[in-house]
């Protein structure tokens, strides 16, 4: 994947296109460095144009997030509008920056747009757990499991919360 092709349209990265991006930037230090330089050059030449197109701003945010450039990702997600996807992805970057209050607020806003979205709920539970709010994290994962009993991330999150709270008997039982 080369940067000009990547930024040529406003379609967000999904499925195969996101996997191709990840393969490119995770292919090795040389490929990652080359891709990063190309990205920096493209952003330098086209920043206003890209920022004026919410779809392209979202894509740049996704690329920055995938590359571990979370501050830049947050800034680009802010330019992308306020869709549930944008708020979710911004929350992921904020979590990586340990800006937990802001991440939780993004997840709450995303859930107002798409109530009950299990991935958003689970990431909010994860952040709550990272903040030490174990009971709240467990309740969030239990809400997910009530509507989607087969959502394994929530089941794992619930067992992790139980273990963190010191309830080893129930935590290990839930883990198994």
């Amino acid at each position: 994947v080369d940067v000009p092709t990547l930024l040529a349209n406003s379609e967000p990265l999904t499925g195969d296109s996101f996997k191709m991006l990840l393969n490119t930037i995770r292919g090795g230090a040389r490929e990652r460095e080359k891709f990063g330089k190309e990205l920096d050059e493209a952003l330098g030449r086209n920043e206003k144009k890209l920022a004026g197109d919410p779809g392209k701003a979202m894509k740049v945010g996704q690329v920055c997030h995938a590359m571990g450039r979370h501050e830049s990702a947050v800034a680009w997600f802010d330019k992308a509008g306020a869709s549930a996807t944008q708020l979710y992805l911004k929350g992921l970057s904020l979590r990586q920056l340990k800006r937990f209050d802001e991440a939780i607020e993004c997840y709450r806003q995303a859930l107002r747009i798409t109530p009950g979205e299990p991935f958003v709920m689970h990431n909010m539970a994860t952040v709550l757990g990272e903040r030490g709010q174990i009971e709240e994290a467990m309740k969030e994962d239990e809400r997910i499991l009530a509507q989607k009993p087969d959502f394994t991330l929530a089941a794992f999150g619930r067992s992790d919360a139980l273990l963190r709270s010191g309830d080893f008997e129930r935590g290990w039982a839930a883990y198994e």
Side-chain angles (χ1 to χ4, degrees), residues 20-122:
M20 286 174 43
L21 167 67
L22 291 177
N23 287 338
T24 299
I25 61 177
R26 291 182 179 160
R30 181 175 290 151
E31 291 84 1
R32 185 180 177 89
E33 184 178 330
K34 179 181 179 233
F35 187 85
K37 284 180 182 178
E38 288 178 11
L39 178 64
D40 292 339
E41 289 171 11
L43 294 179
R45 287 190 310 269
N46 303 304
E47 185 168 358
K48 286 185 180 181
K49 182 179 173 184
L50 293 167
D53 181 331
K56 288 183 180 179
M58 172 77 92
K59 189 179 284 188
V60 173
Q62 288 177 291
V63 172
C64 289
H65 177 81
M67 293 187 69
R69 297 177 175 188
H70 299 294
E71 288 288 351
S72 294
V74 168
W76 281 99
F77 288 136
D78 282 340
K79 297 171 186 172
S83 69
T85 301
Q86 174 269 340
L87 291 162
Y88 170 69
L89 294 172
K90 181 179 174 185
L92 293 177
S93 283
L94 288 165
R95 176 181 169 219
Q96 292 299 316
L97 294 167
K98 308 263 187 255
R99 291 165 52 184
F100 298 136
D101 291 339
E102 293 171 81
I104 288 171
E105 183 54 33
C106 283
Y107 296 141
R108 285 188 176 137
Q109 288 177 32
L111 288 168
R112 283 195 280 278
I113 297 168
T114 57
E117 166 48 53
F119 285 99
V120 177
M121 292 171 70
H122 174 67

Side-chain angles (χ1 to χ4, degrees), residues 134-135 138 159-172:
I134 305 301
E135 289 297 319
M138 198 166 19
S159 68
D160 183 59
L162 287 164
L163 291 168
R164 286 181 191 220
S165 72
D167 189 343
F168 298 112
E169 185 177 329
R170 290 189 330 156
W172 285 119

